[in-house]
Amino acid sequence: MNRHFVLSMIVVAGIFASITTFAQNRPYDQVMKDIGATSESLGINLDGTGAESYQPVRLDERGGILRNQGGRRRPTGPRTDEEIQASAAAAVEDATKLDGLFREIEEFWTSLNTQDAVTLSKTSHESAAAIVEKLNDNDFDGAQIAFRDVQQACIHCHFTHRQRTIDGFFIRP
């Protein structure tokens, strides 16, 4: 019986180790796609709190500001307290997820010894944590400002460490 128990524990430990390794070594582009989707959701949820919306600055390939970008539609009409709190709760989930995703990106850039990208990743996950803190304090405008800080760090890193190719993007350490 002890032999079966030990064997079972070894199998369970092996499965856990392989799952953990797979989760920690997700491809960079998949993490970035998750960041994009989660950031978009966070922006919409922050808008749902009634926070003053700060449209993200988008740059063209040369680094110039794109004009007439359109943008997200803000919820219209009066918002109930329940709707605001539901948006805030969803935004907390999104910001918490972003914090973890940016920590993964920080590890990626640390492994490449690219200090400015490590710093930008760290700034992003600290700003994501600040969003959670601000939302928990019902400081929706403060959360929106922290979200803008995340967006600015993303823009800076993308234009410094990403190059467009025919097949997509190439990451430059």
Side-chain angles (χ1 to χ4, degrees), residues 26-96:
R26 289 193 310 150
Y28 176 83
D29 61 334
Q30 183 59 52
V31 177
M32 293 306 295
K33 286 178 184 176
D34 287 350
I35 287 173
T38 305
S39 291
E40 184 175 340
S41 177
L42 177 58
I44 291 167
N45 288 322
L46 284 174
D47 284 350
T49 64
E52 184 176 334
S53 180
Y54 295 91
Q55 288 295 328
V57 175
R58 297 185 193 239
L59 305 176
D60 63 20
E61 292 176 344
R62 295 183 186 148
I65 296 174
L66 290 174
R67 305 282 182 210
N68 300 325
Q69 306 165 47
R72 298 187 302 266
R73 292 183 184 208
R74 293 190 58 164
T76 58
R79 309 279 297 155
T80 66
D81 286 342
E82 291 80 21
E83 289 172 322
I84 291 170
Q85 290 306 313
S87 289
V92 166
E93 286 181 32
D94 290 337
T96 301

Side-chain angles (χ1 to χ4, degrees), residues 49-158:
T49 64
E52 184 176 334
S53 180
Y54 295 91
Q55 288 295 328
V57 175
R58 297 185 193 239
L59 305 176
D60 63 20
E61 292 176 344
R62 295 183 186 148
I65 296 174
L66 290 174
R67 305 282 182 210
N68 300 325
Q69 306 165 47
R72 298 187 302 266
R73 292 183 184 208
R74 293 190 58 164
T76 58
R79 309 279 297 155
T80 66
D81 286 342
E82 291 80 21
E83 289 172 322
I84 291 170
Q85 290 306 313
S87 289
V92 166
E93 286 181 32
D94 290 337
T96 301
K97 182 176 179 181
L98 271 183
D99 184 1
L101 291 169
F102 282 120
R103 288 175 190 272
E104 285 185 62
I105 294 301
E106 183 180 352
E107 289 175 15
F108 170 80
W109 288 114
T110 299
S111 72
L112 295 175
N113 198 24
T114 307
Q115 194 55 47
D116 65 321
V118 170
T119 301
L120 290 167
S121 301
K122 182 178 250 179
T123 298
S124 295
H125 79 73
E126 288 172 351
S127 294
I131 293 169
V132 172
E133 183 180 314
K134 299 289 185 186
L135 289 169
N136 287 334
D137 292 340
N138 290 325
D139 180 3
F140 303 133
D141 288 331
Q144 190 70 272
I145 291 168
F147 180 54
R148 184 181 57 192
D149 294 342
V150 169
Q151 292 173 317
Q152 293 299 320
C154 289
I155 289 168
H156 183 73
C157 192
H158 285 198

